[in-house]
Amino acid sequence: MEYTLFPLCEYAVTVRFSDRIDEDVNDIVHQTAARLQAERKEGIEEIVPAFSSLTIYYDPLVIDYIGIGAWLRKNIRRSEQAVRRSARTVVIPVCYGGEFGPDLPDVARFHGMTEDEVIALHSAGRYRVYMIGFSPGFAYLGGLSPRLATPRRSVPRTKVPAGSVGIAGGQTGVYPLATPGGWQLIGRTPLKLFDPHREKPSLLAAGDIVAFQPIGADEFARWSEEHD
């Protein structure tokens, strides 16, 4: 695979594998990131994978740009030869509509659908986690049906409850923490997507496949009690 390597600043270098969002490209990004973590050199401070690029922050007093480049090229070659790992599927229960998804009626009206049709289409999808970012545990998901693509709210909320499932443009996602946000909220999950006390704080990881499972309000309450 062709790629471009260039300095982002005096202490960071970026590897761009493509300008498009693609599963195969994203696999190379994360395979390379995992290999770099395993073969981490002295002076490497942070490795940040994205949709189709990878940025490495380093201490220029310990390692220089030429040394970083050689290290990257070697590990990119090895990553391209690696066998693609099987994706893990994570099922996320979601109570759609009502107090949990106050924007579901607006999303349905925008597309000329019933609320049940929106729920059925959204929960039928399988969504790939391309990257984790924005806030701890926030997964950028690909795979939303174009029939559900909806503009963000004109006025963002000052606080979106943790676990809220939303749509913004051609993306869907789950707020892991209570934060401000302008996504159209269609439901909420009782699962904690981010818990700093867990061995792995983020429930989701890049490369996972997410499936949303509709549940009722009573089941939401039971889930919340069992997983509190």
Side-chain angles (χ1 to χ4, degrees), residues 6-192:
F6 57 92
L8 183 65
C9 61
E10 65 271 19
Y11 53 85
V13 58
T14 293
V15 185
R16 179 175 292 138
F17 294 91
S18 176
D19 291 324
R20 70 184 191 278
I21 297 175
D22 177 271
E23 286 193 15
D24 290 333
V25 172
N26 193 245
D27 271 337
I28 290 293
V29 169
H30 290 288
Q31 286 174 3
T32 302
R35 180 169 291 277
L36 294 178
Q37 290 285 9
E39 302 288 335
R40 198 173 184 121
K41 290 176 69 70
E42 184 181 0
I44 302 301
E45 296 185 342
E46 191 171 8
I47 299 168
V48 183
F51 282 101
S52 55
S53 65
L54 184 65
T55 297
I56 296 88
Y57 294 87
Y58 63 94
D59 183 347
L61 298 178
V62 177
I63 187 171
D64 61 15
Y65 179 75
I66 294 175
I68 287 284
W71 177 65
L72 283 170
R73 292 184 183 93
K74 177 184 71 174
N75 283 288
I76 290 170
R77 286 195 300 271
R78 291 177 176 175
S79 297
E80 290 175 329
Q81 297 166 0
V83 177
R84 181 173 175 172
R85 71 178 179 87
S86 299
R88 178 184 67 143
T89 297
V90 180
V91 178
I92 296 180
V94 179
C95 188
Y96 287 93
E99 65 176 299
F100 301 112
D103 298 324
L104 179 60
D106 293 336
V107 173
R109 278 193 296 270
F110 183 83
H111 294 287
M113 299 181 183
T114 66
E115 293 181 23
D116 285 343
E117 287 173 333
V118 171
I119 294 169
L121 188 55
H122 187 264
S123 60
R126 293 296 178 268
Y127 305 96
R128 178 186 174 88
V129 179
Y130 276 89
M131 59 179 284
I132 304 293
F134 169 63
S135 66
F138 187 94
Y140 284 86
L141 304 178
L144 180 70
S145 168
R147 294 171 59 195
L148 290 179
T150 311
R152 294 168 180 264
R153 288 172 52 87
S154 57
V155 179
R157 291 180 170 88
T158 57
K159 185 177 182 180
V160 174
S164 293
V165 178
I167 292 174
Q171 287 191 302
T172 188
V174 186
Y175 285 80
L177 304 172
T179 60
W183 290 38
Q184 305 282 354
L185 306 183
I186 61 172
R188 195 183 307 166
T189 179
L191 296 185
K192 289 183 178 180

Side-chain angles (χ1 to χ4, degrees), residues 191-213:
L191 296 185
K192 289 183 178 180
L193 268 74
F194 183 81
D195 184 347
H197 303 295
R198 287 195 300 240
E199 181 179 354
K200 293 184 177 181
S202 179
L203 178 65
L204 300 175
D208 287 346
I209 301 298
V210 171
F212 293 112
Q213 174 186 335

